Amino acid sequence: MADPQTEVTRATILQFHDAFNSHDVDAIMALMSGDCVFENTYPPPDGARLVGQAAVRQAWESLFHDSPESHFAVEELFACGERGALRWLYTWGPPGAPAGHVRGVDLFRVRDGKVAEKLSYVKG
């Protein structure tokens, strides 16, 4: 059995993932700390670094507005203490049309049951 912090980290990441696939920005932000950090995969080469609830909220709102059919499938989840790694397959595109996709990984840090850091990386 994993230590209690690992279990909290794993559960928080899975809740975050479910809220993300529901495109529920309020639920996502409720799972993020007030001083949250999100490092996006765009623009290349390093992506944008967003700090704080307002900046991160705007990123999620823009993503879901621009890609309403987006979906992240979990390929693998690993957690140890306050750190977690989620390997994913991101797909987008209107139903019935060929979907685009990309694979990547998110590195999480969970503090007090909230996502404090989400660093995103993409293959390609």
Side-chain angles (χ1 to χ4, degrees):
M1 180 167 186
D3 70 276
Q5 178 60 54
T6 297
E7 291 299 324
V8 167
T9 297
R10 181 177 171 76
T12 301
I13 292 170
L14 288 173
Q15 288 175 316
F16 184 91
H17 174 78
D18 289 344
F20 214 85
N21 274 333
S22 297
H23 298 194
D24 186 343
V25 176
D26 289 335
I28 293 168
M29 296 315 299
L31 290 165
M32 298 194 84
S33 67
D35 62 347
C36 57
V37 173
F38 167 52
E39 288 187 359
N40 202 345
T41 61
Y42 187 85
D46 296 322
R49 180 178 173 89
L50 306 169
V51 178
Q53 285 263 334
V56 174
R57 172 183 283 279
Q58 184 171 6
W60 303 148
E61 289 171 347
S62 293
L63 172 67
F64 300 138
H65 177 268
D66 295 344
S67 191
E69 297 87 12
S70 63
H71 178 79
F72 285 84
V74 173
E75 292 189 327
E76 183 177 14
L77 172 59
F78 172 82
C80 183
E82 69 175 11
R83 300 286 182 173
L86 177 68
R87 194 166 50 87
W88 43 258
L89 173 67
Y90 172 56
T91 57
W92 64 89
H101 78 276
V102 67
R103 284 195 155 86
V105 64
D106 287 337
L107 303 179
F108 287 88
R109 185 167 55 94
V110 173
R111 185 179 65 232
D112 299 325
K114 304 265 186 183
V115 173
E117 191 174 67
K118 180 182 182 291
L119 311 177
S120 297
Y121 299 88
V122 68
K123 291 182 68 120

